[in-house]
Amino acid sequence: MITPTPESLTALFRRTYGGAPAVIARAPGRVEFIGNHTDYNGGAVLGAAIDRYVWVAAAPLPGDGPDKPRPRSSAEQGNPAGRLRLFSANGPAVLELPSDPGTKITGSDSWANYPLGVWRSLQDFSLPRPAGFDLLVDSDLPAGAGLSSSAALELATALALLALAGKKDLPPDRLAALGRQAENKYVGVPCGILDQGTSAFGRAGHLVHIDCRGPVFSRVPFPTGAHLWIFNTREKHALIDGLYATRHQECLAAAQALGVALLTDLTPAQLPPLEKKLTPMLAKRAKHIIEEHARVHDTVEALRQGDLATVGRLLTASHRSSKHYFENSTPALDLLVDLLEKHPAVFGVRLTGGGFGGAVMALTRDNFTEKDAASIAQGYSAKHGRTPEMIHLQAADGAQLL
Ligand code: GLA
């Protein structure tokens, strides 16, 4: 994927809309370091914003917004009715909407539900928004890999649209809440705060810790001598397809049967005597969430002590729990975990994000090289047929207006 720059965005914006953008914003993807499906269960999670981004360039429609209006291009004169125009660098054509469509867009333009959801959420949050806009999206963040391209698109859009309406900053907790609302209410995914919170609070060289009950955000230094690698199965995971929502409902049903508001109201020691209240399937879901929440705390502690061997064991234990108890892994993810786990330069490895496809994240030693990654990829394609995408990532700063 080609890394976008402000110059490349401006050039593409000019070609698309016939004028320069007024604002450019970008928001990072994230890895879920540990804390699988704990967020909407009131648990803790550790994430890292990564140096792969969704970029958004935008301009008010001529005559709109506080900025000096652009001259009307010939393309615009041919389309005087268009109020909201959206274009993805990966898409075939500009999507033109005379006004808020009110309902969800389906088919190949369905990505536009994210920016439109943000635009609607701005109003729900009583924040300023432009009456109309031209918007361009570009990215070097693989979509469908479990790296939160959706949240990055939401946050970059929010910053760009707010800036068009004259508001150049928003506290990161509000930004995260706004993005989450767009996804929950307008895209229809009942996600927690992990993705938007990490993309908003990211800082270079740090992990983002979220106590999702508050939510309360803090940062933990990324361990020295360790590296983040992503191995993307290239099997798309789509949270919209229902499996994510099913897991969410199962967790709520388990909590209700156990007589608690949220599963993380219980400690791992409290669960076994209560398990008989649950069906075998719900007992597995509860075990995963309650123990995973504890693993996040143990990971933070091990990171503070610089005990990377323990961090690694917790990461891999998290994967096994997702696989056996939460049942959101896949044979391709498990194969990558099995191959990476055996490598002497790997501390630990686990699926990252919602699951049901997507990518695994490995925490490696300094001496894990491109050559090591290539040999893992070879082992994977020998058994699985496909070549995984491999990315060596850095923990990066959060969403920002450029
Ligand atoms: C997706 C969701 C998050 C979180 C993870 C699983 O990324 O968007 O809110 O639930 O899955 O931990």
Side-chain angles (χ1 to χ4, degrees):
M1 274 183 181
I2 298 163
T3 306
T5 60
E7 294 72 36
S8 73
L9 246 76
T10 301
L12 185 56
F13 197 95
R14 279 186 188 282
R15 282 203 298 282
T16 309
Y17 295 116
V23 298
I24 296 181
R26 73 173 192 190
R30 63 99 190 90
V31 292
E32 175 197 278
F33 192 80
I34 192 165
N36 193 234
H37 288 254
T38 47
D39 61 355
Y40 56 82
N41 286 295
V45 68
L46 270 178
I50 54 176
D51 54 344
R52 294 291 190 111
Y53 306 87
V54 171
W55 295 66
V56 167
L61 285 196
D64 255 347
D67 294 302
K68 202 162 158 263
R70 283 175 303 129
R72 198 165 252 270
S73 72
S74 52
E76 282 160 358
Q77 277 157 15
N79 172 37
R83 301 296 297 160
L84 312 176
R85 300 194 298 182
L86 305 108
F87 181 64
S88 157
N90 303 320
V94 175
L95 173 65
E96 299 183 356
L97 302 165
S99 63
D100 187 345
T103 53
K104 261 174 56 174
I105 296 169
T106 53
S108 60
D109 287 330
S110 60
W111 66 271
N113 291 312
Y114 296 95
L116 287 174
V118 168
W119 189 64
R120 292 173 188 147
S121 299
L122 285 169
Q123 193 168 46
D124 297 344
F125 275 54
S126 304
L127 286 164
R129 65 176 199 176
F133 56 80
D134 286 344
L135 187 129
L136 164 72
V137 180
D138 200 358
S139 169
D140 61 355
L141 183 61
L147 299 177
S148 285
S149 54
S150 318
L153 174 54
E154 288 152 9
L155 267 56
T157 302
L159 290 180
L161 295 186
L162 279 164
L164 282 189
K167 190 164 170 56
K168 302 235 152 118
D169 56 2
L170 189 68
D173 54 342
R174 290 270 285 156
L175 181 63
L178 179 82
R180 182 183 178 192
Q181 156 121 340
E183 183 128 2
N184 289 167
K185 186 167 167 187
Y186 297 111
V187 178
V189 177
C191 67
I193 196 68
L194 162 67
D195 306 348
Q196 294 83 3
T198 307
S199 184
F201 277 87
R203 179 171 297 169
H206 287 76
L207 295 167
V208 177
H209 179 268
I210 313 175
D211 171 350
C212 301
R213 273 180 196 246
V216 178
F217 302 90
S218 54
R219 298 185 181 101
V220 178
F222 192 86
T224 44
H227 291 259
L228 270 183
W229 281 82
I230 283 292
F231 290 78
N232 178 10
T233 61
R234 297 185 199 267
E235 285 182 349
K236 285 238 163 175
H237 96 138
L239 299 184
I240 316 182
D241 70 5
L243 284 165
Y244 182 88
T246 304
R247 286 295 177 279
H248 192 148
Q249 280 155 14
E250 290 165 358
C251 290
L252 295 181
Q256 197 179 24
L258 291 167
V260 291
L262 291 163
L263 282 176
T264 55
D265 286 334
L266 295 171
T267 63
Q270 287 172 317
L271 181 63
L274 298 174
E275 265 179 1
K276 52 185 176 302
K277 295 185 174 181
L278 301 173
T279 62
M281 187 267 279
L282 290 187
K284 287 199 278 186
R285 305 295 185 256
K287 183 176 169 62
H288 168 74
I289 296 299
I290 294 168
E291 292 183 354
E292 182 76 352
H293 175 56
R295 269 189 291 273
V296 177
H297 286 280
D298 294 348
T299 304
V300 172
E301 203 36 55
L303 284 167
R304 289 217 167 100
Q305 289 173 13
D307 180 356
L308 293 183
T310 299
V311 172
R313 270 197 298 279
L314 289 161
L315 296 180
T316 309
S318 162
H319 180 79
R320 301 278 182 242
S321 176
S322 296
K323 174 182 173 180
H324 294 299
Y325 303 125
F326 214 64
E327 295 176 289
N328 60 337
S329 188
T330 63
L333 291 165
D334 293 337
L335 174 58
L336 280 170
V337 169
D338 292 345
L339 291 168
L340 281 155
E341 191 190 9
K342 291 191 196 97
H343 198 287
V346 172
F347 289 114
V349 52
R350 60 185 295 279
L351 69 81
T352 185
F356 309 111
V360 303
M361 176 213 86
L363 186 72
T364 72
R365 294 176 192 275
D366 277 338
N367 60 350
F368 186 86
T369 61
E370 297 278 343
K371 227 170 118 191
D372 293 308
S375 81
I376 299 287
Q378 218 168 30
Y380 176 83
S381 27
K383 288 209 172 134
H384 194 262
R386 290 193 200 194
T387 315
E389 179 182 15
M390 298 162 292
I391 319 175
H392 182 190
L393 295 166
Q394 307 293 327
D397 283 339
Q400 56 185 304
L401 196 62
L402 296 173

